[in-house]
Amino acid sequence: MGIGLSAQGVNMNRLPGWDKHSYGYHGDDGHSFCSSGTGQPYGPTFTTGDVIGCCVNLINNTCFYTKNGHSLGIAFTDLPSNLYPTVGLQTPGEIVDANFGQQPFVFDIEDYMREWRAKIQSTIKRFPIGDRLGEWQAMLQNMVSSYLVHHGYCSTATAFARVTDTTIQEEQTSIKNRQRIQKLVLAGRVGEAIEATQQLYPGLLEHNPNLLFMLKCRQFVEMVNGTDSEVRCFSARSPRSQDSYPGSPSLSPRHGSTNSHLHSTGADSPTCSNGVMSTKSKQSHSKYPALSSSSSSSSSSSPSSVNYSESNSTDSTKSQQHSSTSNQETSDSEMEMEAEHYPNGVLENSSTRIMNGTYKHEEILQTDESSMEDSCPQRQLCGGNHAATERMIQFGRELQILSEQLCREYGKNTMHKKMLQDAFSLLAYSDPWNCPVGQQLDPIQREPVCAALNSAILESQNLPKQPPLMLALGQASECLRLMARVGLGSCSFARVDDYLH
């Protein structure tokens, strides 16, 4: 019996090791055969009941055998790639059981792998840096600082910059603007995030139609989920409806739902567009009017209305309280996302409006304390509200129109088609949360959308859309993949994750 390795095309009627590109360890004499009919003394003979292991080391291209769990030493060196396990039987009635890992090996392969993993990691750590140590340290500190700024960890970035004497390139106000928008997206309030982006960064979404379409598709999903304020405003009438899941934000008790299409109840009363407050009725100048916010004056109220308006039920004293506490509310404890958790989106209170880097005491990104309710009602489409469902269907029609408009202007886009199809497919099931496309409703699906919007904002401000630290990690991961593709076994023991934890 011979056990070993063979390249493709080797004669299968001969024992491994006898022909070119064939390697074997034979049990009758204990010799090793390396592409030759003449063997070399290697190990003991083996027979019935023995367990013979063959281990190929792709790092140094060697092969060794084991007998009953004990290594016999290296048998072959400088092995070529693309070899196949081979067993040759000569005696009639011979039987072998092959174990390729479906059962534990007799030989302690894990200990052997730990040994080589330590060697590879030691080689990496000993890589010479030379006299540029100070430059590397400064570079790494800047990479860490830019990573913190990119993700909006404002106070941490400030503290890190103070300790390491690094400079933050982006203004603190801009960081907090981005952080607020990210919070809205992660809370499922995509409509408000879109409105805030349009106010704080005019023209950004209009010049990024693909991003706008992605956000609108996500907004539709959140409307199905009942978390977007386009449909949440209707739930204010019915506290028992799906107004919030555990930890999700909800509208203020002051928010009402009256007229259709964001009608204003008076000339001086603020309108609520996608849940965002403004003191004047704004006329949309969007390139894509199908999904733009609109406002008109009307005194009638229809039960079939699919949008809402909001009248100001607070007095001037309330406004003064907001003004007097604005500085406190914009502190880092209010802004930081570092210690926050989004089970289905939690957004802290804020009463500070930010426009193009300046603060105005209006509630542009307003939330309320009712989001902290512990009730967990049964999930229903659009919170189980009929008017909200009508608004969702109308929004879907508008989204279809936007898709057709983008198709006419920029040509067919398979990504748009798939996003739209996946989003609309949720309506085909009585329980969207437990259906083949229900993963869209998972809050974790908000993260890629949030990252895309954040990167676009940074790029519009002439800042890197990806932090250098993430680019470096991505490059390292890609290098490891290329190493694996060309057969460099060392990459198996040089995972990037091993150095991040």
Side-chain angles (χ1 to χ4, degrees):
M1 180 186 294
I3 300 174
L5 307 160
S6 299
Q8 188 176 13
V10 168
N11 188 353
M12 293 288 99
N13 293 322
R14 291 165 58 82
L15 289 179
W18 284 350
D19 295 325
K20 188 176 182 180
H21 301 310
S22 179
Y23 310 85
Y25 169 37
H26 295 187
D28 58 342
D29 56 9
H31 287 186
S32 63
F33 293 79
C34 179
S35 303
S36 171
T38 303
Q40 300 294 327
Y42 172 65
T45 61
F46 56 88
T47 184
T48 303
D50 289 327
V51 179
I52 304 300
C54 178
C55 179
V56 179
N57 188 326
L58 298 176
I59 297 175
N60 57 9
N61 296 320
T62 63
C63 170
F64 70 90
Y65 290 87
T66 65
K67 180 180 178 181
N68 299 326
H70 301 285
S71 175
L72 303 179
I74 294 178
F76 310 110
T77 60
D78 300 322
L79 292 175
S81 58
N82 299 324
L83 295 176
Y84 299 87
T86 309
V87 177
L89 305 177
Q90 274 191 325
T91 305
E94 284 184 322
I95 299 174
V96 295
D97 288 328
N99 178 18
F100 293 98
Q102 69 270 24
Q103 297 176 354
F105 293 116
V106 177
F107 175 71
D108 190 355
I109 189 69
E110 293 296 332
D111 183 66
Y112 181 75
M113 292 173 63
R114 280 192 295 269
E115 178 184 338
W116 272 97
R117 184 177 290 107
K119 289 180 181 179
I120 298 302
Q121 293 181 352
S122 177
T123 301
I124 295 173
K125 292 178 181 178
R126 292 199 311 268
F127 185 83
I129 296 179
D131 298 332
R132 300 177 60 193
L133 179 61
E135 295 180 27
W136 283 109
Q137 286 179 330
M139 182 184 299
L140 290 173
Q141 289 169 354
N142 285 326
M143 291 172 71
V144 172
S145 177
S146 64
Y147 177 85
L148 296 172
V149 170
H150 178 91
H151 290 286
Y153 302 137
C154 194
S155 64
T156 303
T158 302
F160 183 83
R162 184 168 55 251
V163 172
T164 59
D165 196 24
T166 55
T167 302
I168 298 178
Q169 296 182 353
E170 187 178 5
E171 293 183 3
Q172 193 174 75
T173 300
S174 177
I175 299 174
K176 292 177 179 178
N177 285 350
R178 289 190 297 104
Q179 186 188 71
R180 288 171 177 265
I181 293 173
Q182 289 182 76
K183 281 187 175 184
L184 288 173
V185 175
L186 293 174
R189 304 171 68 162
V190 183
E192 294 177 64
I194 293 173
E195 185 77 12
T197 302
Q198 290 172 335
Q199 292 187 13
L200 296 170
Y201 306 98
L204 172 64
L205 297 180
E206 189 167 317
H207 292 104
N208 290 270
N210 291 334
L211 176 61
L212 175 63
F213 189 78
M214 178 196 296
L215 288 167
K216 289 296 184 179
C217 285
R218 187 66 213 177
Q219 185 179 3
F220 181 85
V221 172
E222 297 298 345
M223 292 173 77
V224 174
N225 206 14
T227 51
D228 190 81
S229 52
E230 281 277 348
V231 297
R232 289 177 62 84
C233 61
F234 298 101
S235 299
R237 297 178 179 177
S238 176
R240 298 292 296 174
S241 67
Q242 180 188 306
D243 200 46
S244 63
Y245 299 126
S248 66
S250 59
L251 294 174
S252 168
R254 295 188 317 231
H255 287 216
S257 55
T258 54
N259 304 356
S260 65
H261 299 295
L262 303 180
H263 290 176
S264 173
T265 56
D268 297 328
S269 62
T271 62
C272 181
S273 174
N274 285 348
V276 178
M277 297 277 293
S278 62
T279 54
K280 295 181 180 180
S281 297
K282 288 178 52 179
Q283 192 172 15
S284 173
H285 301 282
S286 173
K287 184 179 179 182
Y288 309 105
L291 284 166
S292 301
S293 301
S294 61
S295 60
S296 60
S297 61
S298 172
S299 60
S300 63
S301 177
S302 170
S304 62
S305 63
V306 293
N307 267 331
Y308 71 100
S309 65
E310 176 179 343
S311 60
N312 191 357
S313 61
T314 59
D315 53 24
S316 59
T317 305
K318 187 76 173 182
S319 300
Q320 293 173 2
Q321 291 174 352
H322 282 307
S323 176
S324 63
T325 59
S326 61
N327 292 333
Q328 178 181 358
E329 290 172 334
T330 56
S331 65
D332 284 341
S333 62
E334 291 267 340
M335 301 295 184
E336 285 301 324
M337 296 168 62
E338 299 160 41
E340 294 177 0
H341 177 61
Y342 294 93
N344 198 19
V346 175
L347 191 61
E348 292 180 345
N349 289 348
S350 174
S351 61
T352 304
R353 181 172 183 175
I354 308 173
M355 286 292 293
N356 293 329
T358 61
Y359 288 95
K360 296 183 180 180
H361 304 302
E362 297 172 331
E363 300 186 30
I364 178 174
L365 302 177
Q366 178 177 327
T367 60
D368 62 75
E369 297 178 356
S370 62
S371 63
M372 304 306 292
E373 294 176 356
D374 294 329
S375 60
C376 183
Q378 184 179 1
R379 295 181 296 188
Q380 295 179 335
L381 188 70
C382 296
N385 186 283
H386 178 70
T389 303
E390 286 186 357
R391 173 57 191 137
M392 176 201 64
I393 294 174
Q394 176 62 28
F395 187 90
R397 295 193 185 104
E398 296 168 357
L399 188 56
Q400 178 67 41
I401 294 173
L402 175 61
S403 175
E404 295 170 356
Q405 181 178 350
L406 292 176
C407 184
R408 287 193 300 270
E409 293 185 14
Y410 301 100
K412 293 183 179 180
N413 189 311
T414 56
M415 289 291 294
H416 287 186
K417 182 178 179 180
K418 187 177 188 311
M419 282 191 290
L420 198 64
Q421 183 177 1
D422 288 346
F424 287 173
S425 295
L426 292 169
L427 303 184
Y429 301 91
S430 58
D431 183 4
W433 293 268
N434 296 293
C435 72
V437 291
Q439 73 278 359
Q440 298 178 84
L441 298 169
D442 191 328
I444 199 173
Q445 300 299 327
R446 301 166 183 164
E447 295 180 7
V449 179
C450 181
L453 178 56
N454 187 46
S455 295
I457 292 174
L458 287 166
E459 193 173 22
S460 71
Q461 304 298 306
N462 295 321
L463 294 170
K465 65 178 183 179
Q466 292 293 337
L469 180 61
M470 297 305 298
L471 294 176
L473 292 176
Q475 183 183 29
S477 298
E478 184 60 27
C479 286
L480 291 175
R481 281 192 288 270
L482 292 175
M483 290 171 65
R485 191 176 303 169
V486 299
L488 297 178
S490 302
C491 64
S492 299
F493 300 121
R495 298 189 315 121
V496 173
D497 289 346
D498 292 338
Y499 297 89
L500 298 180
H501 302 289

